[in-house]
């Protein structure tokens, strides 16, 4: 009558994908330059089970202008980093974060009058 039912053992907590310190350094460097240029004003970071997202906003209450995503499951395919525009279109995807972010650095280049 008094049989004990053990709880199922979970050996590890559910993993989350997150940006590494060196990755955040590259992203925040670009973010700082865009803020000083007056293009961006706010950001948000989400760490989920499959993806880590760095979202960039012009104003806090808007949808993100750009999303920088890290999906480690795509590491061996088209690349784990992607920059996605406001309409959901993938602007650039690749294996190296610095080369993927170059698509956003072009916004800083302006003609001098």
């Amino acid at each position: 009558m008094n049989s004990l039912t053990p709880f199922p053992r979970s050996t590890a907590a559910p993993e989350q994908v997150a940006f590494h310190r060196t990755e955040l350094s590259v992203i925040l460097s670009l973010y700082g330059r865009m803020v000083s240029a007056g293009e961006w004003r706010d950001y948000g970071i989400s760490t989920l089970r499959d993806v880590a997202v760095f979202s960039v906003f012009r104003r806090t209450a808007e949808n993100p202008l750009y999303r920088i995503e890290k999906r480690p499951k795509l590491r061996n395919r088209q690349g784990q980093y992607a920059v996605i525009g406001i309409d959901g279109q993938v602007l650039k995807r690749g294996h190296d974060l610095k080369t993927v972010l170059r698509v956003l650095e072009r916004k800083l280049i302006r003609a001098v009058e």
Side-chain angles (χ1 to χ4, degrees), residues 37-56:
E39 296 289 325
W40 298 348
R41 294 189 187 265
D42 199 9
Y43 72 91
I45 299 176
S46 301
T47 56
L48 305 172
R49 188 172 209 156
D50 298 337
V51 62
V53 182
F54 186 95
S55 302
V56 177

Side-chain angles (χ1 to χ4, degrees), residues 31 35 39-44 54-62 64-66:
Y31 176 78
V35 166
E39 296 289 325
W40 298 348
R41 294 189 187 265
D42 199 9
Y43 72 91
F54 186 95
S55 302
V56 177
F57 300 90
R58 187 172 310 229
R59 290 182 197 86
T60 306
E62 292 182 347
L65 290 175
Y66 301 103

Side-chain angles (χ1 to χ4, degrees), residues 8-20:
R9 292 186 180 196
S10 77
T11 56
E15 293 185 25
Q16 288 184 337
V17 177
F19 289 105
H20 191 264

